[in-house]
């Protein structure tokens, strides 16, 4: 990738997804730009929903990315610095394109107001939008060679998505969106109407507690799998300690499910990941 594309991609990531930008800083310098291009692509695709007023323009933007990955893009796709950086990374490391196209397809769910159907659907969504990023970051660190069966990336991606959506529960409800599986709420006596109306209830609190417990199970399994990986590859998973800290704070979301969650300061996140990377990678 050109130095201009790398710099613009890093700036885009820092501005639009600072957590992933911070995570990229523990990646060795020679491979940092490649990982940043992957993260920036995911951030760009995830942000489509927030930049359109209705699904149709969002579908068009997602299709642009799908065409760019498949080589069917119109015009000079590489004039987009994130696309230029990503396509260079794909070529340099032999990353398979299909999982990235699945990420795009999964993000089409974001364009609509349909609630998440069930836990299996949520775990599939998490795998296609989050786990793949951990998997490919590790692959980049391993010079393009697949490094594990997916346990570390798979479990960490689901934990990441669960924790993120429990923390974002109130905001998403205010936007009339339900990302966490609705049947879990229903099983606890909480209705879709209660959620979208912002009516806190014991059923909502119980459901959020179950999601936190499930996130803990996935995070435990992810950490066990990460520990078996070669040390040089573990830095791809350096966000794990931040997730552990956020998980510890989910009690707030259970007690006040619609209130903005307390944030961990950026310097603390950087310190957690840097210390973790020093000890593990």
């Amino acid at each position: 990738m050109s130095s201009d594309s790398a710099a613009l991609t890093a700036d885009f990531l820092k501005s639009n997804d600072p957590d992933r930008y911070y995570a990229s800083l523990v990646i060795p310098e020679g491979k940092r730009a490649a990982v940043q291009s992957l993260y920036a692509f995911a951030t760009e695709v995830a942000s489509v929903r927030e930049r359109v007023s209705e699904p149709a323009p969002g579908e068009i933007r997602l299709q642009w990315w799908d065409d760019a990955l498949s080589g069917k893009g119109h015009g000079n796709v590489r004039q987009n610095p994130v696309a230029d950086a990503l396509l260079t990374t794909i070529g340099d490391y032999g990353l398979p394109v299909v999982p990235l196209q699945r990420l795009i397809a999964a993000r089409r769910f974001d364009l609509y107001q349909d609630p998440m159907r069930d836990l299996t659907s949520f775990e599939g969504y998490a795998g296609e939008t989050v786990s793949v990023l951990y998997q490919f970051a590790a692959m980049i660190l391993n010079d393009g060679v697949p490094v594990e069966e997916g346990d570390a990336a798979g479990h960490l991606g689901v934990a990441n998505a669960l924790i993120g959506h429990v923390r974002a529960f109130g905001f998403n409800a205010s936007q009339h969106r339900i990302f966490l599986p609705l049947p879990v709420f229903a099983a606890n006596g909480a209705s879709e109407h209660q959620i979208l109306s912002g009516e806190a209830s014991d059923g909502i609190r119980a459901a959020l507690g179950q999601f936190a417990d499930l996130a803990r199970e996935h995070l435990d399994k992810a950490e066990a799998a990460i520990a078996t990986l070669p040390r040089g590859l573990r830095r791809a998973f350096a966000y794990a300690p931040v997730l552990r800290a956020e998980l510890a704070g989910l009690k707030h979301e259970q007690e006040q499910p619609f209130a903005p969650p307390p944030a961990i300061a950026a310097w603390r996140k950087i310190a957690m990941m840097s210390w973790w990377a020093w000890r593990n990678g």
Side-chain angles (χ1 to χ4, degrees), residues 10-216:
D11 287 343
F12 171 82
L13 184 64
K14 185 177 182 179
S15 297
N16 293 278
D17 194 342
D19 282 357
R20 285 205 176 105
Y21 175 76
Y22 302 148
S24 76
L25 297 181
V26 304
I27 300 295
E29 188 173 356
K31 295 178 178 177
R32 188 178 302 155
V35 172
Q36 287 177 340
S37 74
L38 175 68
Y39 291 171
F41 157 72
T43 298
E44 165 71 24
V45 172
S47 69
V48 168
R49 171 63 178 84
E50 308 305 326
R51 293 188 279 113
V52 297
S53 58
E54 55 185 33
E59 292 276 9
I60 292 170
R61 186 60 185 167
L62 293 179
Q63 188 60 50
W64 185 92
W65 278 103
D66 192 275
D67 290 344
L69 290 176
S70 64
K72 300 176 182 176
H74 300 287
N76 189 354
V77 169
R78 286 184 179 266
Q79 287 182 345
N80 180 310
V82 175
D84 178 44
L86 178 67
L87 291 172
T88 299
T89 295
I90 289 171
D92 287 349
Y93 294 94
L95 301 181
V97 169
V98 171
L100 299 178
Q101 292 177 307
R102 288 176 182 158
L103 184 155
I104 295 169
R107 285 297 181 187
R108 288 192 164 93
F109 172 84
D110 300 4
L111 301 177
Y112 301 90
Q113 300 296 98
D114 301 328
M116 188 65 68
R117 195 166 58 250
D118 51 39
L119 187 57
T120 300
S121 297
F122 181 90
E123 291 180 337
Y125 174 86
E128 291 174 341
T129 59
V130 187
S131 297
V132 65
L133 303 181
Y134 291 117
Q135 184 81 25
F136 276 17
M139 192 172 169
I140 289 169
L141 287 178
N142 205 38
D143 296 320
V145 180
V147 295
E148 48 118 6
E149 296 300 319
D151 286 347
H155 287 298
L156 196 62
V158 176
N160 197 155
L162 282 167
I163 292 167
H165 281 297
V166 171
R167 288 175 57 80
F169 175 73
F171 172 77
N172 285 329
S174 73
Q175 303 297 307
H176 291 270
R177 302 165 71 190
I178 303 174
F179 277 94
L180 293 166
L182 192 58
V184 177
F185 291 100
N188 284 280
S191 68
E192 182 175 355
H193 174 77
Q194 283 180 318
I195 296 170
L196 298 182
S197 299
E199 300 175 15
S201 68
D202 289 341
I204 289 176
R205 296 186 183 95
L208 293 178
Q210 289 176 9
F211 290 127
D213 289 342
L214 183 59
R216 185 173 295 104

